C-alpha cells in the first residue's frame, strides 16, 4: 500500500513526538497532534468545525497529565 508523502510525514512526526515526550507508545492522539501541524490536516479539521488551538491545548494537557511516560 502506498502512502502519500504528507501522510508519511505526519506519521513520522507522530512517532517523533511520542519519542520526544518519552511515551512508550505512539497513540492516535499523537497522530492527531501531528496532523494539526500539517496544512492539509489543519484545513480538514477546521472545515469540520474544529478549533486547532483548542485541540492542541487539550492534547498537550493529555500528553502531560494523562499519558504515562
Amino acid at each position: 500500500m502506498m502512502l502519500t508523502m504528507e501522510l508519511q510525514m505526519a506519521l513520522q512526526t507522530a512517532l517523533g513526538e511520542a519519542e520526544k515526550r518519552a511515551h512508550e507508545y505512539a497513540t492516535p492522539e499523537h497522530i492527531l497532534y501531528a496532523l494539526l501541524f500539517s496544512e492539509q490536516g489543519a484545513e480538514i479539521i477546521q472545515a469540520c468545525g474544529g478549533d486547532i488551538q483548542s485541540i492542541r491545548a487539550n492534547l498537550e494537557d493529555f500528553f502531560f497529565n494523562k499519558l504515562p511516560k
Side-chain angles (χ1 to χ4, degrees):
M1 171 173 61
M2 295 288 292
L3 299 177
T4 66
M5 182 60 71
E6 181 144 0
L7 180 55
Q8 287 180 17
M9 290 175 62
L11 292 174
Q12 288 175 341
T13 300
L15 292 172
E17 194 64 36
E19 184 177 345
K20 179 178 88 175
R21 295 173 182 274
H23 295 148
E24 186 173 358
Y25 302 104
T27 65
E29 290 83 4
H30 290 100
I31 296 170
L32 174 58
Y33 189 78
L35 289 172
L36 293 172
F37 291 94
S38 149
E39 185 177 330
Q40 251 185 342
E43 285 176 8
I44 291 168
I45 291 167
Q46 287 176 325
C48 294
D51 177 352
I52 301 299
Q53 297 302 338
S54 175
I55 296 170
R56 281 183 189 162
N58 286 330
L59 286 170
E60 288 283 346
D61 180 63
F62 173 78
F63 292 148
F64 188 74
N65 294 310
K66 305 278 194 234
L67 203 58
K69 293 186 178 193

